[in-house]
Amino acid sequence: MNKKQILLSVVALDFLALSAWAILEHGLRGIFESAFQSWATGLLAIDLILALSMIAGWMWVDARRHGLTVWPYLVITGALGSAGPLLYLIRRESRLRSK
């Protein structure tokens, strides 16, 4: 594992721990209800959806270029947000190092 993978792994594990705590504390429904309580939080939620959609498009193209399977990371992105791209980047870095 190189420095980039270690840093990505720490960020991914911290984010997954935060996600697990939030889901346990509020449930999935509670998280989505909170996201649309006001126009301000709704704006943040829509912005996150747009950003993750663009990242998913990049992952799709990049995975094809590097011969990686992307669908598990897209599913994780849909379910847990940024965890999908973080895990994809860890896998991608591993693939690039092995070449």
Side-chain angles (χ1 to χ4, degrees):
M1 250 186 170
N2 64 24
K3 290 178 186 177
K4 190 184 296 184
Q5 285 177 300
I6 292 169
L7 178 62
L8 287 167
S9 296
V10 168
V11 172
L13 288 172
D14 286 346
F15 181 76
L16 287 169
L18 177 62
S19 297
W21 178 79
I23 291 169
L24 287 171
E25 188 74 21
H26 301 283
L28 282 174
R29 182 177 174 182
I31 291 171
F32 285 102
E33 285 174 353
S34 296
F36 292 100
Q37 280 185 341
S38 71
W39 285 104
T41 57
L43 172 65
L44 291 174
I46 298 300
D47 187 50
L48 180 62
I49 291 168
L50 290 171
L52 287 173
S53 297
M54 289 185 281
I55 291 169
W58 170 82
M59 284 192 309
W60 183 280
V61 171
D62 190 72
R64 293 179 105 200
R65 183 178 302 136
H66 295 290
L68 295 168
T69 302
V70 73
W71 71 264
Y73 306 101
L74 295 175
V75 170
I76 294 168
T77 301
L80 298 173
S82 298
L86 286 167
L87 294 172
Y88 174 76
L89 287 171
I90 294 166
R91 174 67 180 111
R92 178 183 186 267
E93 187 68 21
S94 174
R95 176 66 177 238
L96 292 177
R97 288 187 56 111
S98 69
K99 284 187 175 184

